[in-house]
Amino acid sequence: MSVNQNKAIKICDTTLRDGHQSLMATRLKIEDMIPLLEAMDEVGFYSVECWGGATFDACLRYLNEDPWERLRVFRKYFKNTKLQMLLRGQNLLGYRPYPDDVIELFIKKMVDNGMDIIRVFDALNDLRNLETSIRAAKAEGAHVQGSVVYTISPVHVPEMYAKLAKELVEMGSDSICVKDMGGIISPTAAYNIVKSIKEVVDVPVELHTHYTSGMAGAALLKAAEAGVDIVDTALSPLAMGTSQPATETLVAMLKETPYDTGLDVSKMYPISAELRKNLRNYNIKYDVVGGVDANVLTYQVPGGMMSNFAEQLGPNIDRLPEVLEEVPRVRADLGYPPLVTPSSQMVGSQAVFNVLSGGRYKMVTNEVKAYLAGQYGKAPGPIDEEFRKSLIGDTPVLQHRFADDLEPGLPQARKEIGYLMESDEDLLSYVAFPQVAEKFLKDRMAGKTRTDYNIAEENEEDGKKGVYPVQ
Ligand code: CO
């Protein structure tokens, strides 16, 4: 629609969120980030993605760190650069739909504490699940970026993405993200989708992809040719593999093209050097998360899911090939949900059960049952009614938004955690991750949380257990 006079590509640097989420299970501590922040603010990034469900969870669960305080630290250091985050729509920062009152207060507090850009997505592209978060974010004056979640399936036709993008703008989105969490978008698909979206909306379009399949660098270049406005990259020490393409590479690649970012790559070298030094304190499993994973092209299984399989299978790891072949079958049975949190966990766990329990759907997870009952929203494709019935019997299938049936969540939570909370932020941490936050708040009361960021003790349990979100 609009003619892009200035073709300069803007960069959202994801080092502080998706970079360490993808390569090191979101374990980067704030004290290893702080030495980078002033210099990062001087680079001229359009935004830094620095907050989201997994970072919030990992702060409380593994790092003994208050995620809200982390946000305030970012705000303090980033004086010129917008702060950006990822929100799972009605699932907020978690794995299930929350009542609207929780969404509204959460978004208010995120903006109060300094968030500028809120990227919202729904795993099923069911836009009803984005209504409340978009409305609330607009009401708080945030920039709302609506996402279309990219996947490959017989029901995900190219025209669908432009239609979704148009609806997202009508709902109030200030920009659009094409979100390829699996890193499977080909350069041609990236070109076609960005172009078709640019034809029907006149807000900026951003491409988020992962290097997993090895195509991301080429995909970003083709997206630039199609008129993309912003791309997501991560500083080189936390780039490539299951993370984003490297920021330095992208900046150098676009030099002397009409898409020149105008950024000075030499400003990034010292930041990356410092980060690389800080990463020596961590055990990054490059054999799992680095390089190119061709499995993703065959099975669409993104990096985060592979880590989960390794854990879930444990001693049965030799059955991984069977599980990988089962994933697309489960996905087809469920009407082709994109593999992103929470459907990636749902499909992955069910595939593991189908392989290990001696028969398909002999054991069915509660999440799959809830999904078949419409509690996560509308499945992208058709689901065989016989199949549905065999798993959930006569349970009625919701036709409306599940959150419409939920009682407000804050009053009860306030009752439960009132004895420990000092602020609404504490209350929200509790609503998002009850047991984990309660323990954190107790530790804080006992003076055992890390607030001065000088504590160098290592938590040896880090990184061994848990679910890895896929975004
Ligand atoms: Co991502």
Side-chain angles (χ1 to χ4, degrees):
M1 213 178 266
S2 66
V3 179
N4 194 351
Q5 299 287 346
N6 179 4
K7 288 183 178 175
I9 300 285
K10 297 186 177 80
I11 287 188
C12 164
D13 187 276
T14 64
T15 311
L16 305 174
R17 201 283 293 178
D18 213 354
H20 71 113
Q21 179 173 336
S22 297
L23 296 185
M24 49 189 288
T26 333
R27 297 298 199 274
L28 193 59
K29 295 173 190 165
I30 188 70
E31 60 266 40
D32 289 322
M33 302 179 183
I34 286 174
L36 321 173
L37 303 183
E38 266 177 45
M40 281 182 81
D41 189 41
E42 294 299 315
V43 169
F45 295 129
Y46 170 70
S47 64
V48 285
E49 193 197 35
C50 59
W51 224 63
T55 55
F56 194 96
D57 188 355
C59 273
L60 291 168
R61 194 183 299 266
Y62 302 112
L63 304 180
N64 215 2
E65 206 185 301
D66 187 339
W68 298 99
E69 180 57 23
R70 179 182 281 205
L71 173 54
R72 290 188 286 269
V73 168
F74 288 143
R75 185 69 289 168
K76 190 177 97 186
Y77 282 96
F78 285 106
K79 296 183 168 70
N80 311 304
T81 314
K82 293 191 178 88
L83 302 184
Q84 181 163 337
M85 69 165 298
L86 181 64
L87 190 79
R88 301 169 185 162
Q90 201 73 26
N91 299 336
L92 215 52
L93 302 173
Y95 298 88
R96 61 184 172 86
Y98 288 90
D100 286 345
D101 65 327
V102 173
I103 311 276
E104 284 156 10
L105 186 62
F106 226 109
I107 287 176
K108 178 176 182 344
K109 286 292 153 188
M110 292 182 321
V111 177
D112 283 355
N113 283 284
M115 190 55 66
D116 297 303
I117 302 174
I118 302 176
R119 173 181 292 172
V120 295
F121 77 96
D122 177 66
L124 304 177
N125 283 320
D126 184 339
L127 301 188
R128 295 173 303 174
N129 289 333
L130 300 181
E131 280 167 11
T132 304
S133 43
I134 290 179
R135 191 178 59 236
K138 294 295 288 180
E140 295 303 325
H143 174 115
V144 180
Q145 182 170 80
S147 305
V148 296
V149 174
Y150 177 75
T151 190
I152 299 171
S153 90
V155 299
H156 289 86
V157 294
E159 309 84 69
M160 201 191 99
Y161 300 105
K163 184 169 169 283
L164 283 167
K166 192 158 183 277
E167 283 172 40
L168 282 164
V169 171
E170 282 160 9
M171 287 166 72
S173 298
D174 300 295
S175 61
I176 294 295
C177 172
V178 178
K179 181 174 165 56
D180 171 30
M181 61 283 157
I184 54 174
I185 200 165
S186 71
T188 305
Y191 182 92
N192 290 338
I193 288 172
V194 167
K195 197 156 184 62
S196 65
I197 292 177
K198 292 291 288 183
E199 276 164 15
V200 294
V201 304
D202 50 17
V203 299
V205 176
E206 181 159 351
L207 178 58
H208 176 85
T209 180
H210 288 246
Y211 206 81
T212 321
S213 73
M215 294 194 286
L220 294 189
L221 184 60
K222 290 300 283 182
E225 290 174 12
V228 83
D229 299 274
I230 312 161
V231 297
D232 290 8
T233 56
L235 288 168
S236 52
L238 286 176
M240 313 288 280
T242 55
S243 177
Q244 274 74 55
T247 304
E248 297 95 315
T249 309
L250 194 272
V251 168
M253 188 168 89
L254 295 182
K255 280 266 178 257
E256 296 173 26
T257 75
Y259 321 109
D260 191 339
T261 62
L263 300 184
D264 181 357
V265 103
S266 69
K267 283 190 179 171
M268 300 172 199
Y269 296 148
I271 308 170
S272 287
E274 174 76 19
L275 175 57
R276 192 164 277 120
K277 187 178 74 154
N278 297 350
L279 290 180
R280 285 187 207 136
N281 301 324
Y282 300 85
N283 173 26
I284 302 181
K285 298 184 178 74
Y286 288 105
D287 55 331
V288 180
V289 296
V292 167
D293 175 12
N295 277 322
V296 78
L297 294 172
T298 312
Y299 305 110
Q300 289 198 37
V301 168
M305 274 182 87
M306 290 296 271
S307 322
N308 285 343
F309 286 148
E311 253 166 41
Q312 288 172 338
L313 287 168
N316 296 306
I317 191 70
D318 56 318
R319 307 200 61 182
L320 180 63
E322 290 168 76
V323 172
L324 287 177
E325 294 199 0
E326 179 63 8
V327 168
R329 289 197 287 259
V330 172
R331 208 171 149 237
D333 292 338
L334 298 180
Y336 301 101
L339 296 177
V340 63
T341 300
S343 46
S344 49
Q345 288 84 355
M346 184 177 74
V347 171
S349 298
Q350 191 58 52
V352 170
F353 279 139
N354 284 2
V355 168
L356 292 188
S357 68
R360 300 190 76 222
Y361 303 104
K362 227 175 160 180
M363 285 172 68
V364 182
T365 66
N366 288 333
E367 287 77 18
V368 166
K369 287 180 185 168
Y371 174 88
L372 289 172
Q375 294 183 9
Y376 288 94
K378 193 176 178 323
I383 293 173
D384 181 75
E385 284 309 317
E386 291 280 301
F387 168 77
R388 192 196 309 261
K389 233 178 155 155
S390 71
L391 265 55
I392 63 166
D394 290 327
T395 308
V397 181
L398 275 193
Q399 300 303 323
H400 56 264
R401 204 178 62 118
F402 180 63
D404 290 338
D405 296 343
L406 296 174
E407 294 292 328
L410 295 175
Q412 178 61 26
R414 225 178 266 276
K415 264 187 226 159
E416 289 167 9
I417 203 65
Y419 78 111
L420 283 174
M421 61 178 263
E422 292 171 5
S423 64
D424 279 351
E425 284 81 349
D426 292 342
L427 174 69
L428 293 165
S429 298
Y430 176 74
V431 174
F433 300 100
Q435 291 91 354
V436 172
E438 186 164 20
K439 181 179 178 300
F440 172 84
L441 295 174
K442 277 183 183 159
D443 284 351
R444 186 178 69 186
M445 199 174 246
K448 290 197 286 187
T449 51
R450 301 181 318 115
T451 48
D452 58 3
Y453 308 124
N454 291 321
I455 305 164
E457 66 184 312
E458 289 294 317
N459 183 349
E460 282 304 316
E461 282 160 46
D462 279 7
K464 305 234 170 77
K465 282 272 171 285
V467 170
Y468 297 87
V470 176
Q471 288 158 7

